[in-house]
Amino acid sequence: MLRALRHLMTLLLLLGGLASARAELYIVSKTDITGLTERITERLYTGKQIEVNNRSLIPLNYVVDSPVRQKFLTMVIGKTETEYTAYWATRRYVGLGTPPEEVRDRNRMLSVLGSRDNAIGYIEATPEEAAELRKRFMVLLVRTTESRTTESRAAQ
């Protein structure tokens, strides 16, 4: 009995690892932003750029304690939470802007993205969940959370 339970727990751990390995960060918007790159995304989220192709964009960020935000900051922006917060504190102090609007959870992110044509945000999702995202939004950039590989994709 104990041996069977160990095998079951091992199988569950393996399956859990496979599921998490497939999670990706999707940069999404209601608007098709041709030519969006990881570098431009980084510039939008650091206030160094506010337009892409003459279209003003409003970046949305998760709240500070969000695990998805931590992944995004590390993988796309290239900063830790501490570095990002300090960066924006300095910019705000010298009058160079305010940080992106924050949302508390995935549902709120999807709601705000769905209600604003010029909003851009990110969602962590499996490829299966991404099929639903593509029905509502343009998927502009995909980042696999288990690697540093970046891929630009057109909405399907």
Side-chain angles (χ1 to χ4, degrees), residues 16-28 45 60 62 66-73 75-76 103 105-107 109-110 113 121-133 137 139 141-147:
L18 289 175
S20 67
R22 295 178 49 193
E24 296 177 320
L25 283 175
Y26 292 83
I27 312 299
V28 299
Y45 277 85
L60 301 173
Y62 284 97
S66 167
V68 179
R69 176 178 166 133
Q70 304 309 312
K71 289 178 186 177
F72 176 77
L73 290 178
M75 298 176 67
V76 179
V103 296
D105 59 30
R106 178 187 172 111
N107 288 337
M109 177 70 81
L110 292 170
L113 284 168
Y122 54 95
I123 301 289
E124 184 176 43
T126 64
E128 294 78 19
E129 293 169 327
E132 290 300 313
L133 277 177
F137 303 105
V139 174
L141 192 66
V142 179
R143 183 66 182 265
T144 304
T145 59
E146 297 301 317
S147 70

Side-chain angles (χ1 to χ4, degrees), residues 3-44:
R3 186 175 178 190
L5 185 57
R6 273 192 235 161
H7 286 293
L8 179 60
M9 290 190 63
T10 302
L11 180 62
L12 289 173
L13 286 172
L14 287 172
L15 290 175
L18 289 175
S20 67
R22 295 178 49 193
E24 296 177 320
L25 283 175
Y26 292 83
I27 312 299
V28 299
S29 179
K30 281 179 64 175
T31 304
D32 185 14
I33 305 164
T34 305
L36 185 76
T37 65
E38 191 170 311
R39 176 76 174 133
I40 292 171
T41 303
E42 181 266 331
R43 291 180 59 78
L44 288 168

Side-chain angles (χ1 to χ4, degrees), residues 49-154:
Q49 184 171 341
I50 59 170
E51 291 183 353
V52 177
N53 301 329
N54 296 319
R55 172 166 267 160
S56 180
L57 295 174
I58 299 171
L60 301 173
N61 216 345
Y62 284 97
V63 293
V64 172
D65 62 350
S66 167
V68 179
R69 176 178 166 133
Q70 304 309 312
K71 289 178 186 177
F72 176 77
L73 290 178
T74 302
M75 298 176 67
V76 179
I77 307 302
K79 294 184 183 299
T80 66
E81 181 63 51
T82 303
E83 292 168 333
Y84 188 71
T85 303
Y87 170 84
W88 274 110
T90 302
R91 283 187 68 91
R92 196 175 338 174
Y93 180 76
V94 297
L96 292 177
T98 57
E101 178 182 339
E102 294 181 351
V103 296
R104 68 185 173 276
D105 59 30
R106 178 187 172 111
N107 288 337
R108 183 68 181 144
M109 177 70 81
L110 292 170
S111 173
V112 175
L113 284 168
S115 66
R116 296 186 192 163
D117 288 339
N118 61 338
I120 184 171
Y122 54 95
I123 301 289
E124 184 176 43
T126 64
E128 294 78 19
E129 293 169 327
E132 290 300 313
L133 277 177
R134 284 188 168 90
K135 290 178 184 176
R136 293 181 57 199
F137 303 105
M138 304 298 284
V139 174
L140 307 169
L141 192 66
V142 179
R143 183 66 182 265
T144 304
T145 59
E146 297 301 317
S147 70
R148 302 273 315 164
T149 305
T150 303
E151 178 182 340
S152 288
R153 294 187 183 168

